[in-house]
Amino acid sequence: MDTQLITGLLTATAAIGGVAIAQFGGLALSRLNKSQERNKELRARLEELADCVHLSSEWCMAAIEGAEPVVLCSSARRVHVLALLYFPGMKEDAKLLLRTTYEIYSCMTNDTDPAANVEVRLSEASKSFRIAANNLDTLAAHEAMKLL
């Protein structure tokens, strides 16, 4: 009887241990998959942010050159939103980028007011824009290295 009891206990312990190991392995695998999915999402959002920074730079050059009628820069707004949602380390530069696009837009659409000193404001806004865009490019490269 003692042998049967010990055998039964060993069998039950092995079965429970096997179930526990399987459950732990499943949870670990699920967590790993979620982490990989999160990294994939962050990579996609980082690519979108970098593309929008590029589009904003093209908008800035076109606005200053006067090649096209000036409209608000929606890609700068998208950069700001992506930074707020996914990349908090970039939010200050994204905010500066957005603010300078508004300033450039204001300069280009209100150039009839000579008291406004449009040329100086446009030069300052353009400089701030370049600084913000360069900082965002640097920060995007840094974020990309973290996702590898």
Side-chain angles (χ1 to χ4, degrees):
M1 191 80 152
D2 266 343
T3 307
Q4 286 180 337
L5 182 61
I6 291 173
T7 304
L9 283 174
L10 286 175
T11 303
T13 303
I16 291 172
V19 168
I21 290 172
Q23 288 297 319
F24 178 74
L27 289 173
L29 186 60
S30 173
R31 185 175 178 138
L32 178 64
N33 286 341
K34 284 183 181 178
S35 175
Q36 289 174 342
E37 288 174 17
R38 172 83 173 142
N39 281 348
K40 190 183 283 187
E41 176 70 18
L42 285 175
R43 279 189 207 110
R45 296 299 177 201
L46 189 58
E47 285 180 29
E48 183 180 358
L49 185 136
D51 289 343
C52 287
V53 168
H54 178 75
L55 290 172
S56 297
S57 295
E58 288 179 346
W59 174 89
C60 181
M61 290 184 337
I64 291 172
E65 291 172 0
E68 301 173 7
V70 179
V71 295
L72 281 173
C73 183
S74 62
S75 57
R77 184 165 186 72
R78 185 70 181 149
V79 167
H80 188 243
V81 169
L82 288 169
L84 289 174
L85 292 175
Y86 296 99
F87 307 104
M90 297 182 181
K91 67 182 178 183
E92 290 304 316
D93 288 307
K95 184 178 179 179
L96 177 61
L97 186 86
L98 181 62
R99 196 171 57 237
T100 57
T101 59
Y102 288 157
E103 182 65 21
I104 292 168
Y105 177 79
S106 174
C107 288
M108 300 308 292
T109 56
N110 295 328
D111 60 350
T112 57
D113 185 5
N117 205 356
V118 173
E119 291 298 321
V120 172
R121 287 178 43 218
L122 187 59
S123 176
E124 289 173 2
S126 177
K127 182 179 177 183
S128 294
F129 181 90
R130 285 192 307 275
I131 290 169
N134 286 337
N135 287 348
L136 285 168
D137 284 340
T138 302
L139 290 170
H142 180 69
E143 288 290 331
M145 294 304 291
K146 290 195 301 189
L147 292 173
L148 292 179

